Amino acid sequence: MSQLSIFIVMLAALLVPLMMAHFQVSNMPTAIAEILIGIVIGQSGFNIVHMNSTLNLLSSLGVIVLIFLSGMEINFDLFKRQPGQKSTGDSPVKIAALAFGSIFVMAILLGLALRVTGMFNGVMLATIIFSSIALGVVIATLKEKEILSRPIGQTVLLTAVLGEVIPMLMLTVYASIHGGHAGRLWLIVLLFIAAIILLRRFRQPYQWFNQVTKSTTQLDVRLAFFLIFTLVTVATTVGAENILGAFLAGMVMKLLKPEQSTEDKLTSIGYGFFIPIFFISTGIRLNLRSLITNPRALVLIPIFVLCFLLAKLVSTIIYLRRFSRHNSLAAAFLCATTITLVLPTLTVARNLHAITATQQDAFILGAVIVCICGPIMFNVLFKATKEDLIKQRVVILGVNVWTVPITQQLTTQLYDIRMVTDNQKDYKTYNSEVPDITYLDQINESSLLDGKFFDTDVLVVGFREDERNFAIAQIAKKHGVKRVIMSQMSNEHDFDSLHQLVEQGIEIFNPYNVQSSMLRALIESPAMMDILTDTEHGIFEITVKNRRYTGINMDELPMIDQITISRIKRNGEWLTPHGDTVINEGDQLFVTASYDDIGSIQSALSRTN
């Protein structure tokens, strides 16, 4: 019977996404569907699956891996002011902090209201439950909507992180106080110390791991699970919740800056095996039959549902400072999902005899209802805007007659551009023509570091002195700039020097060669000038990273009517595309599209998921 239950759960995990795709169910996250299928096959439905030691173990590992991946989703760049960003009140961190602050205050008020009316006396417990947010469900929803890395996605994610971590810490304090272990609270500090030690210990060796790992060792994955179980063990030893240790492990792993392939492998392990078992098991454990037959629970259920919603919908006021009305309300509804931490919180409270069975049942069903409705309302209300498009950061060193026009012509939908000069005359001349230009007394390694100008995706070194360009380009590469484009104003440099720069990954732009190539193109293709000077359309390069659009024919791309794909570069080889050409991950598409459409198209194809 035990093996049959495991088989049915695994079959359900396989069938849920297939059935959702077949019936085109797009408004409900897969995680919610997995909870519902668990209810159907569990004791509330056909009662054909029973929890056993193996399923309990896999479910526990599922929630630990889920929270670990949640920690890895944090973009730590959001916690520091972006270079060139003015001090405004609309940063994701500030909006998220204010949003959760409003949720927390409302949760306290609702807890006091329930106490005054005699429905529930535990104010601190109610605050924990009503302020908690199901981080795993939020991440799953944002991933499926493909907006996790967009401004609204990161803002909601940070709100959910606060809604998971702070209630988690409060639960640890609550359990220690009511369990008679208040004197051990200080031991939780040891958990954070352990996380810091692990980060410092593996930061340098991790780079070496990437060099020696192979398919049969997978050192990066082994390290990830070592971090998980080390910090989970420390957490349980000091009296904290194991999910707090898992979350810290995810943060440590993220700070080690793993390769994208490592993140993909860990995500595949989690969402492909462990995490679905956790969500299905959550549904299996729920006993809705006893809830429905309990009159007092039926009275409390709508009240608790209303409290769950009121606690989170107040954050709409905060989100309106940055986002549209529809998206602000959608974000608030998504934050209303609260099942992950509610279940362990109620278990702890029940063990401490701080809550009745009726109240526990009402809280669970209320959380389930909100967890189902919240993501659905988010998917219905959310509308992607141009603000949500991912922009590439570009820094251009040198302000002159050829860098300024480039800055003006690059679309602001795709690029966030900053210009830097140490020539006061050029600064005064062009300051009114470009939106973001910085004057430095001297441009050198120190001043560029202080101004965080190396914190960019593309650095263009466009001074008129080649030796200066060569030196700064190499310094930029040393500081980890992904793409460095350097202008070469003369052809008098020896081949070895140029080859050395190319070997370092520096791209060289020679105006003379460009002009010669342009003249040849005009002779061979007279319409070339019309294409390059078209103000409504442009030629763009897009690297396909979104797996949703890989493995399908080119003519099946949903945006194919908005673009013309002229060439495809795959593994260094050029392909001539046809309608039945299969798109692969990593393909570089050279497309013609309108400036109005290219932002959403590039964001859709290039977004990692």
Side-chain angles (χ1 to χ4, degrees):
M1 188 63 181
S2 172
Q3 294 298 319
L4 179 61
S5 294
I6 296 173
F7 168 76
I8 294 174
V9 169
M10 296 308 302
L11 179 62
L14 174 64
L15 291 179
V16 165
L18 294 177
M19 293 174 64
M20 292 182 69
H22 178 73
F23 292 105
Q24 297 182 345
V25 179
S26 58
N27 286 334
M28 181 184 296
T30 305
I32 304 303
E34 288 166 348
I35 292 176
L36 291 178
I37 198 66
I39 293 174
V40 172
I41 64 178
Q43 57 183 327
S44 300
F46 294 106
N47 200 25
I48 57 176
V49 174
H50 303 278
M51 294 300 296
N52 53 57
S53 57
T54 303
L55 280 179
N56 282 326
L57 175 61
L58 292 175
S59 178
S60 299
L61 289 174
V63 69
I64 287 174
V65 173
L66 173 65
I67 300 302
F68 168 79
L69 292 176
S70 301
M72 284 194 66
E73 293 290 355
I74 304 300
N75 181 359
F76 289 94
D77 289 338
L78 293 174
F79 291 93
K80 57 184 180 182
R81 183 182 299 174
Q82 295 299 314
Q85 182 185 49
K86 296 179 181 179
S87 181
T88 60
D90 60 357
S91 69
V93 176
K94 188 167 185 178
I95 293 294
L98 291 174
F100 180 74
S102 66
I103 291 171
F104 192 76
V105 171
M106 180 58 74
I108 295 174
L109 294 176
L110 291 170
L112 291 172
L114 291 176
R115 182 174 183 175
V116 170
T117 57
M119 294 182 180
F120 188 70
N121 293 325
V123 177
M124 185 174 181
L125 189 60
T127 301
I128 294 173
I129 293 173
F130 292 142
S131 65
S132 68
I133 302 174
L135 181 58
V137 178
V138 169
I139 288 178
T141 305
L142 294 175
K143 271 182 172 289
E144 291 185 11
K145 203 69 174 178
E146 298 179 352
I147 56 172
L148 188 58
S149 56
R150 298 185 185 185
I152 190 169
Q154 287 291 305
T155 303
V156 175
L157 173 64
L158 288 173
T159 307
V161 167
L162 294 173
E164 185 102 332
V165 174
I166 293 179
M168 195 185 304
L169 293 172
M170 288 183 63
L171 177 61
T172 301
V173 174
Y174 177 86
S176 298
I177 294 175
H178 289 267
H181 304 294
R184 298 181 57 189
L185 277 174
W186 67 273
L187 292 175
I188 298 177
V189 177
L190 298 178
L191 176 61
F192 291 90
I193 294 175
I196 294 172
I197 291 174
L198 287 171
L199 175 61
R200 294 175 62 89
R201 179 65 183 85
F202 286 102
R203 175 165 284 171
Q204 292 300 325
Y206 184 73
Q207 305 303 321
W208 179 69
F209 281 8
N210 286 334
Q211 299 174 12
V212 300
T213 189
K214 52 187 179 180
S215 59
T216 55
T217 57
Q218 300 292 341
L219 284 173
D220 49 355
V221 176
R222 297 189 189 198
L223 174 62
F225 280 94
F226 170 77
L227 293 175
I228 292 173
F229 287 100
T230 298
L231 291 177
V232 165
T233 301
V234 174
T236 53
T237 302
V238 300
E241 295 297 319
N242 57 13
I243 52 178
L244 179 59
F247 188 78
L248 288 175
M251 294 176 67
V252 170
M253 191 67 188
K254 181 69 172 183
L255 290 170
L256 290 176
K257 298 181 179 179
E259 298 287 339
Q260 183 62 46
S261 59
T262 299
E263 295 188 26
D264 290 342
K265 286 184 284 187
L266 293 172
T267 300
S268 298
I269 294 171
Y271 286 97
F273 180 64
F274 290 108
I275 295 172
I277 295 177
F278 162 67
F279 283 122
I280 293 172
S281 299
T282 299
I284 293 172
R285 291 191 182 98
L286 294 177
N287 189 352
L288 299 185
R289 294 180 181 179
S290 64
L291 291 178
I292 296 173
T293 57
N294 189 328
R296 181 167 175 78
L298 291 177
V299 174
L300 290 175
I301 288 170
I303 295 174
F304 287 162
V305 169
L306 183 62
C307 288
F308 278 124
L309 291 175
L310 287 176
K312 306 302 168 48
L313 290 180
V314 69
S315 62
T316 303
I317 301 172
I318 305 299
Y319 289 132
L320 282 171
R321 297 176 57 168
R322 173 75 184 267
F323 308 111
S324 66
R325 185 186 307 172
H326 277 87
N327 288 355
S328 297
L329 188 58
F333 267 111
L334 184 57
C335 289
T337 57
T338 174
I339 192 70
T340 309
L341 198 59
V342 167
L343 297 177
T345 299
L346 293 174
T347 301
V348 170
R350 190 79 178 109
N351 293 336
L352 295 173
H353 305 289
I355 189 173
T356 66
T358 299
Q359 293 169 334
Q360 181 185 27
D361 293 344
F363 270 121
I364 291 175
L365 188 54
V368 170
I369 293 173
V370 173
C371 200
I372 294 172
C373 297
I376 293 176
M377 290 300 298
F378 172 81
N379 285 327
V380 170
L381 291 171
F382 179 79
K383 306 293 181 185
T385 62
K386 290 184 178 180
E387 179 197 26
D388 295 322
L389 299 177
I390 305 167
K391 296 184 179 181
Q392 266 199 314
R393 298 167 299 169
V394 179
V395 171
I396 299 179
L397 304 181
V399 177
N400 47 57
V401 292
W402 68 271
T403 58
V404 170
I406 291 172
T407 302
Q408 295 169 333
Q409 293 168 18
L410 287 174
T411 173
T412 55
Q413 291 184 25
L414 299 178
Y415 301 99
D416 184 10
I417 307 168
R418 293 182 293 153
M419 300 194 75
V420 186
T421 182
D422 57 358
N423 187 309
Q424 198 156 20
K425 181 180 178 181
D426 289 340
Y427 176 76
K428 291 179 179 179
T429 301
Y430 297 108
N431 187 31
S432 60
E433 298 186 28
V434 291
D436 191 343
I437 181 171
T438 301
Y439 172 76
L440 299 176
D441 291 330
Q442 286 186 328
I443 294 181
N444 50 39
E445 183 174 6
S446 177
S447 63
L448 291 174
L449 279 173
D450 292 341
K452 298 184 178 179
F453 293 109
F454 291 137
D455 189 4
T456 183
D457 299 309
V458 181
L459 180 76
V460 178
V461 189
F463 298 110
R464 296 184 180 278
E465 304 88 10
D466 284 354
E467 295 302 326
R468 188 182 191 190
N469 291 342
F470 285 18
I472 294 180
Q474 293 181 82
I475 292 172
K477 268 300 177 184
K478 183 180 73 174
H479 287 284
V481 179
K482 296 177 183 178
R483 290 189 64 199
V484 178
I485 302 174
M486 183 204 77
S487 67
Q488 178 196 356
M489 306 306 294
S490 70
N491 290 320
E492 298 178 358
H493 300 281
D494 63 276
F495 175 79
D496 291 338
S497 298
L498 295 177
H499 181 71
Q500 183 181 4
L501 294 173
V502 173
E503 286 291 314
Q504 296 177 41
I506 297 171
E507 303 168 51
I508 299 176
F509 169 80
N510 188 312
Y512 175 78
N513 291 339
V514 171
Q515 291 171 5
S516 300
S517 300
M518 186 63 191
L519 178 58
R520 187 191 72 188
L522 283 173
I523 295 172
E524 297 174 346
S525 304
M528 180 63 69
M529 183 61 72
D530 293 334
I531 294 175
L532 294 179
T533 58
D534 188 349
T535 58
E536 296 182 359
H537 297 79
I539 301 174
F540 305 92
E541 176 185 345
I542 303 175
T543 301
V544 180
K545 298 178 182 178
N546 192 338
R547 292 177 180 172
R548 170 175 290 188
Y549 304 112
T550 60
I552 63 176
N553 291 347
M554 189 181 77
D555 57 9
E556 295 176 359
L557 289 172
M559 68 288 292
I560 192 63
D561 59 333
Q562 298 172 284
I563 59 177
T564 299
I565 303 178
S566 55
R567 300 294 296 275
I568 299 177
K569 192 174 184 181
R570 178 181 298 166
N571 299 325
E573 301 290 334
W574 288 101
L575 305 178
T576 300
H578 302 281
D580 58 354
T581 300
V582 177
I583 301 298
N584 291 346
E585 185 176 4
D587 280 356
Q588 294 170 267
L589 309 183
F590 291 82
V591 307
T592 301
S594 73
Y595 287 101
D596 292 335
D597 295 334
I598 189 60
S600 58
I601 294 170
Q602 187 174 62
S603 180
L605 291 172
S606 299
R607 189 181 309 125
T608 56
N609 56 354

